[in-house]
Amino acid sequence: MGKWSPADDAELATGWRLWLELSDRVWPDPSWDGTPADAIRQVRALLSVCEEIRLSYLDETSRPSVALLQLLQSMSFVASFAVDLWHDDTHPLDVERAELLHGDLASFADHVAGVRAALARGGGWAELDRRPWGLPVD
């Protein structure tokens, strides 16, 4: 994962907001109806938030950080395969398809964890990624 270090307050606030949004929005929530399309709904919502964060950041700064924009844009790129594959699949999952969907979501979750780690290192809040007893949150 790339390196990022905030150059100004706008960049720091954007990185912090992205880090917070990525904390728990990869896996289906309790309202999940058991279909791949609904599992991907939350990923799509997260991608919408990432785009909102990107546009807001671009409005706030005259010198946007290439590294931060790359982190934001990587979210759509990495999720695109799973979103394209599963977004309109409204059939209940069988065991084989559940394993495939889980693998796709796990790959995206790994990427999200890497983005969060890069943000935490660059923003100086890496210790927030740990619970008091030392286990990673992600």
Side-chain angles (χ1 to χ4, degrees):
M1 190 60 47
K3 288 192 171 208
W4 170 75
S5 182
D8 57 28
D9 288 344
E11 194 174 337
L12 179 64
T14 299
W16 177 251
R17 181 173 175 210
L18 179 59
W19 184 81
L20 289 173
E21 289 291 348
L22 296 178
S23 66
D24 66 351
R25 298 184 55 167
V26 176
W27 298 99
D29 61 24
S31 69
W32 180 45
D33 70 5
T35 66
D38 199 45
I40 292 299
R41 168 187 53 86
Q42 194 155 332
V43 172
R44 293 174 85 179
L46 177 59
L47 296 178
S48 291
V49 168
C50 288
E51 180 61 8
E52 176 188 311
I53 291 170
R54 187 184 73 81
L55 293 173
S56 177
Y57 173 61
L58 290 174
D59 282 345
E60 292 177 22
T61 187
S62 59
R63 295 182 46 196
S65 162
V66 172
L68 183 55
L69 291 174
Q70 287 174 338
L71 287 173
L72 281 159
Q73 291 166 338
S74 74
M75 300 299 296
S76 305
F77 179 76
V78 171
S80 64
F81 174 76
V83 169
D84 289 347
L85 183 63
W86 299 106
H87 79 279
D88 60 353
D89 187 338
T90 58
H91 301 288
L93 290 168
D94 57 29
V95 172
E96 183 179 329
R97 290 175 57 245
E99 289 175 359
L100 293 170
L101 175 61
H102 183 271
D104 290 342
L105 290 175
S107 293
F108 183 61
D110 287 346
H111 179 72
V112 167
V115 169
R116 287 189 83 233
L119 291 167
R121 278 190 308 273
W125 57 81
E127 57 279 348
L128 296 178
D129 263 340
R130 300 213 167 265
R131 295 179 192 255
W133 52 88
L135 297 174
V137 174
D138 290 324

